[in-house]
Amino acid sequence: MRHLPYFCRGQVVRGFGRGSKQLGIPTANFPEQVVDNLPADVSTGIYYGWASVGSGDVHKMVVSIGWNPYYKNSKKSMETHIMHTFKEDFYGEILNVAIVGYLRPEKNFDSLESLISAIQGDIEEAKKRLDLPEHLKLKEDNFFQVPKSKIMNGH
């Protein structure tokens, strides 16, 4: 993806209800219009970066962009796992995301356990990469300081 870092924001919507319940890995989902407005050259796969909810603190995150082959989705989605424990759900809040790097392509898994194991590996790898100085500086980007308005792709 030539466009990294890539910045986007949108209102958190209800997803498939699988992140927390089946995987134990809660995700925040963007509405279709945010996914549809991604640059054309964005490959499906797993990315990492920074995220905040509303005007809250900025945390490390991983995001899956694609069709989730294990679940055979018919619609492309963008599901963000923020590496922070939130006290409550934040549906309807504005999610701010800075995608800074690519981890791996999307792929299918033969079991739920292998999917969960891969996601946990992605999270650990993202944590390491986000500690690199070139990625750490993006945590302080002005994108996270601006007034939170309507959906806005780009920067």
Side-chain angles (χ1 to χ4, degrees), residues 49-70:
W50 301 99
S52 68
V53 177
S55 56
D57 293 340
V58 180
H59 301 285
K60 293 176 178 179
M61 67 82 179
V62 289
V63 59
S64 169
I65 299 174
W67 286 271
N68 300 331
Y70 181 79

Side-chain angles (χ1 to χ4, degrees), residues 58-114:
V58 180
H59 301 285
K60 293 176 178 179
M61 67 82 179
V62 289
V63 59
S64 169
I65 299 174
W67 286 271
N68 300 331
Y70 181 79
Y71 290 106
K72 298 175 177 55
N73 288 3
S74 59
K75 203 125 187 64
K76 193 174 182 181
S77 66
M78 188 171 171
E79 300 173 71
T80 304
H81 170 70
I82 303 171
M83 296 176 211
H84 176 76
T85 302
F86 291 89
K87 288 182 175 63
E88 54 195 13
D89 290 338
F90 46 85
Y91 297 113
E93 296 286 333
I94 298 296
L95 175 64
N96 309 288
V97 167
I99 300 172
V100 302
Y102 179 79
L103 285 174
R104 65 172 174 84
E106 195 175 38
K107 62 182 182 183
N108 202 350
F109 294 91
D110 55 11
S111 71
L112 192 59
E113 292 72 30
S114 59

